[in-house]
Every structure is written in structure tokens, then in C-alpha cells.
Amino acid sequence: MSYEPGSTDCRLLIDAKQHLEEALGTLSAMPHTDHIQRQLKAVYRQLEGMHDLKRAGGAGVSLRDADWCSVTTNALPG
């Protein structure tokens, strides 16, 4: 079943997540890669969060802008 993304941002996020899934599948067959798999899973979750923001905000959210994250996230001390 094919999936039609709602925007270019969504397409890019979907592609990135798919590539991470492929990398995780490859690494699962290799010994001593648990730490790398955990890092890739964390990146996957970050991309999923970005995708959730895009889906919730629709056309009003562009991940191509430097200030794409939410106001509350931007207000956190650095």
C-alpha cells in the first residue's frame, strides 16, 4: 500500500525514517552495535516528533525555516 505525503517536508521525514529503519535492520545482524542502534532509534524518535509537529500544524508549519520548533521549545534555556 502506498502512502501519499501531505507535503515535501513530510516526504523527506518519511524517507529519512525509512532509511533509519533499513540501517537498524542491517545493524541488528551485526554484533556489538547495540549503542549505535539506540542512537539511531533516538534520532528516529526525533524525526517522528518533527513529523507529528508538521502533521498537527499542516501548511502553517515549515520545517525548512530556522525557527520551525515551537515557541515553548525556543524559550527553553540553552
Side-chain angles (χ1 to χ4, degrees), residues 53 68-78:
L53 285 173
W68 65 266
C69 55
S70 70
V71 173
T72 55
T73 305
N74 282 335
L76 294 175

Side-chain angles (χ1 to χ4, degrees), residues 41-75:
K41 287 176 184 176
V43 171
Y44 185 95
R45 287 189 298 271
Q46 291 173 338
L47 291 173
E48 186 62 26
M50 291 171 67
H51 198 185
D52 289 344
L53 285 173
K54 179 61 182 173
R55 285 188 291 238
V61 174
S62 173
L63 301 179
R64 296 167 188 272
D65 295 334
D67 58 349
W68 65 266
C69 55
S70 70
V71 173
T72 55
T73 305
N74 282 335

